[in-house]
Amino acid sequence: MFVNLLRINSILVATIGGAMVLPLITSLVYKESLQLILSFLGPFVVSFVVLAAVNIPLRKRKIELNIRTSYIAVAFAWIFSSLMGALPYFISETTPTFTDAVFESVSGFSTTGSTIYSDLESLPHSINLWRCLTHWLGGMGIVALTVALLPLLGIGGFQLIKAETTGPEKGKVTDKITTTAKILWFIYFVLTLLEAILLKIAGMSFFDAICHAFSTLGTGGFSTKNASIAAFDSAAIDIIITVFMFLAGINFSLYFFAVTGNFGEIFKNSELKAYIGIVFFCVLGATIPLVKESGGFFHALRYSAFQIISVGSTTGFSTQDFTLWPSASQFFILLLFFVGGSSGSTSGGFKVIRWVVLFKQVKNEIKKMLHPHGVFSLRLNKQARDTEIVTVVTSFTIVFFFLVAITTFIGCLAKLDIFTAFTTAVSMVGNIGPGFGGLGPSFNFGFLPLALKWWYCFTMLAGRLELYTMIMLLLPTFWKNR
């Protein structure tokens, strides 16, 4: 098992090392310091040296995975990738401590978007690009990217992707997992490229357009500007990013169905219908109280739609500080902290599909009370489903809110007020980014105690990997020989 884990993780970490070519080229183009160039060149070289040292002697040995090994491999892949991603921040000395570097890296890869930096505009271009690129890599999934690039992992690739993919249901849109990964990544790339082009046309610089496209499609929220998207003060940019945040919150498998003309799968998708309904309801609910102070309905709609979809998709960009909104509008923001995007999307959070399952089960329970002898099935996508999915979703719900409760308590021990601690806990577990109170959209996380930052790193990774993958590592029974 150890040899397999070593080989898999060396391959996955080398994928991250290879991605450092982009910020490395950026540092050369902008003629940045030698220290900045080495902060990317060093990890890049080391990752491929390790890759060669581990895999060349074992190249004829077949990689074999069981379920437990797959979960361990994915958990450690994200841990090592986060540590690897922290090296440029630390080596370049743009972060004061290694803890801050790891926090920024974990926040990037997990697509949470909470930052320790107070002045983003003073950061080197290469560092800002790396921050946004980590969102893009983590959004679709490090493992999914590696499986797409390297058929070597195709043997156990589906088990690996199941351990990384979001949502209670995992499946393939094609028979081969490597083909599935390639198709989804291609769609992801095309959407990113399209948004970058539109943002450039709307007035962003080429560099800012690329960075914000990475952050939007990865639903992360890192920006190159201190004021986030508000710094551009452009309705066109707001609309473009709003649209692509919404698209990023949709299950990417549905884009495959759209490309192949299988529109029936799209129209009957229960989660998509609920996602659209929730967004529409919350946008309208947040807009109405804002009309008076925003100078009209359309101004209020512009800002509320952006912020609602930003939080709903767990992106975390901001055009206004929503903590200054009327409390009635803030209610809908807070409501979306507990919803998240769709399963199979780049969004974090609880996931819309889980609420669909729970509400359908509540509806069935009411029917059973009225008709004790009736037989009622839970239907998703117009198909009857096994009741096991209710058990799976209920178990996840308990674990989700239990982790939120623990994280809230730890935040309180670190001297955060109860409301800040609670909303930040939901934000960390749900990979949302901003909280309310002292950690709202206008604040950064740099002032937090080191121990709290490390705990938040754990919760961000746990949230990104659907909780169980990380939590299992803490259970002694998981490590017993079987």
Side-chain angles (χ1 to χ4, degrees), residues 446-465:
F447 71 92
L448 296 176
L450 298 185
L452 183 58
K453 289 176 184 175
W454 281 107
W455 178 255
Y456 281 166
C457 285
F458 171 78
T459 57
M460 285 188 284
L461 287 178
R464 175 57 183 84
L465 297 177

Side-chain angles (χ1 to χ4, degrees), residues 50-160:
V50 172
L51 176 69
V54 170
N55 286 277
I56 290 178
L58 300 171
R59 63 186 179 277
K60 295 182 179 180
R61 185 167 176 174
K62 185 179 178 180
I63 295 178
E64 296 180 350
L65 297 171
N66 56 35
I67 294 176
R68 186 167 60 149
T69 306
S70 298
Y71 281 105
I72 295 172
V74 168
F76 277 95
W78 280 77
I79 292 170
F80 292 143
S81 295
S82 297
L83 293 174
M84 179 83 169
L87 293 179
Y89 303 127
F90 187 65
I91 296 172
S92 66
E93 298 182 353
T94 55
T95 56
T97 66
F98 185 66
T99 297
D100 285 336
V102 173
F103 182 93
E104 195 75 10
S105 180
V106 171
S107 182
F109 283 116
S110 66
T111 73
T112 305
S114 300
T115 184
I116 55 91
Y117 290 114
S118 58
D119 187 3
L120 301 174
E121 294 171 33
S122 68
L123 292 176
H125 285 81
S126 58
I127 292 295
N128 262 326
L129 178 64
W130 178 239
R131 293 172 67 246
C132 298
L133 181 57
T134 57
H135 278 334
W136 195 72
L137 294 170
M140 187 59 73
I142 298 166
V143 173
L145 173 60
T146 307
V147 169
L149 296 176
L150 299 171
L152 171 67
L153 294 182
I155 302 165
F158 185 52
Q159 286 295 342
L160 290 172

Side-chain angles (χ1 to χ4, degrees), residues 152-429:
L152 171 67
L153 294 182
I155 302 165
F158 185 52
Q159 286 295 342
L160 290 172
I161 288 182
K162 278 181 68 178
E164 181 185 60
T165 306
T166 61
E169 297 182 286
K170 279 90 170 177
K172 296 180 279 189
V173 296
T174 64
D175 292 335
K176 292 185 178 180
I177 190 62
T178 52
T179 304
T180 295
K182 286 176 183 176
I183 290 171
L184 295 181
W185 266 95
F186 178 73
I187 294 170
Y188 190 45
F189 174 80
V190 169
L191 287 173
T192 305
L193 181 62
L194 178 60
E195 185 191 359
I197 292 171
L198 291 175
L199 289 176
K200 180 67 175 69
I201 294 172
M204 277 193 183
S205 68
F206 176 76
F207 178 78
D208 284 336
I210 293 294
C211 287
H212 287 89
F214 282 156
S215 290
T216 304
L217 267 298
T219 60
F222 278 160
S223 176
T224 59
K225 303 296 183 182
N226 295 331
S228 190
I229 307 304
F232 299 100
D233 192 24
S234 166
I237 288 174
D238 289 358
I239 292 169
I240 292 168
I241 292 179
T242 299
V243 169
F244 279 92
M245 286 191 297
F246 177 81
L247 294 177
I250 295 173
N251 190 324
F252 272 70
S253 297
L254 299 183
Y255 295 123
F256 172 78
F257 295 136
V259 170
T260 56
N262 191 357
F263 295 104
E265 290 292 332
I266 299 172
F267 295 141
K268 71 179 184 181
N269 188 270
S270 303
E271 184 178 34
L272 178 61
K273 295 174 185 175
Y275 176 67
I276 293 172
I278 291 168
V279 168
F280 178 81
F281 171 73
C282 289
V283 167
L284 184 62
T287 298
I288 294 172
L290 274 177
V291 170
K292 186 175 181 180
E293 63 181 58
S294 295
F297 177 79
F298 288 105
H299 275 86
L301 180 63
R302 168 187 167 185
Y303 293 114
S304 66
F306 184 97
Q307 210 59 63
I308 286 292
I309 294 175
S310 179
V311 172
S313 66
T314 72
T315 305
F317 281 140
S318 63
T319 50
Q320 288 189 340
D321 186 345
F322 57 75
T323 62
L324 303 178
W325 284 4
S327 56
S329 295
Q330 290 187 49
F331 167 80
F332 292 96
I333 294 286
L334 183 60
L335 181 67
L336 288 171
F337 269 54
F338 300 93
V339 178
S342 304
S343 60
S345 70
T346 60
S347 297
F350 187 81
K351 297 293 183 301
V352 173
I353 187 62
R354 291 193 174 95
W355 287 118
V356 171
V357 169
L358 290 174
F359 274 100
K360 282 180 177 289
Q361 182 61 18
V362 168
K363 183 179 178 181
N364 281 346
E365 292 298 327
I366 293 173
K367 288 180 178 179
K368 288 178 184 178
M369 292 174 68
L370 296 174
H371 308 283
H373 301 293
V375 178
F376 306 100
S377 61
L378 190 149
R379 301 181 68 84
L380 290 175
N381 306 335
K382 296 185 178 180
Q383 293 180 343
R385 302 304 302 272
D386 194 293
T387 55
E388 183 183 354
I389 193 172
V390 178
T391 304
V392 171
V393 170
T394 303
S395 299
F396 181 90
T397 304
I398 293 170
V399 175
F400 182 91
F401 286 102
F402 183 69
L403 185 57
V404 167
I406 293 175
T407 304
T408 300
F409 178 66
I410 292 174
C412 291
L413 291 178
K415 304 296 177 64
L416 296 179
D417 66 86
I418 183 66
F419 188 56
T420 298
F422 173 67
T423 56
T424 303
V426 179
S427 180
M428 293 293 102
V429 177

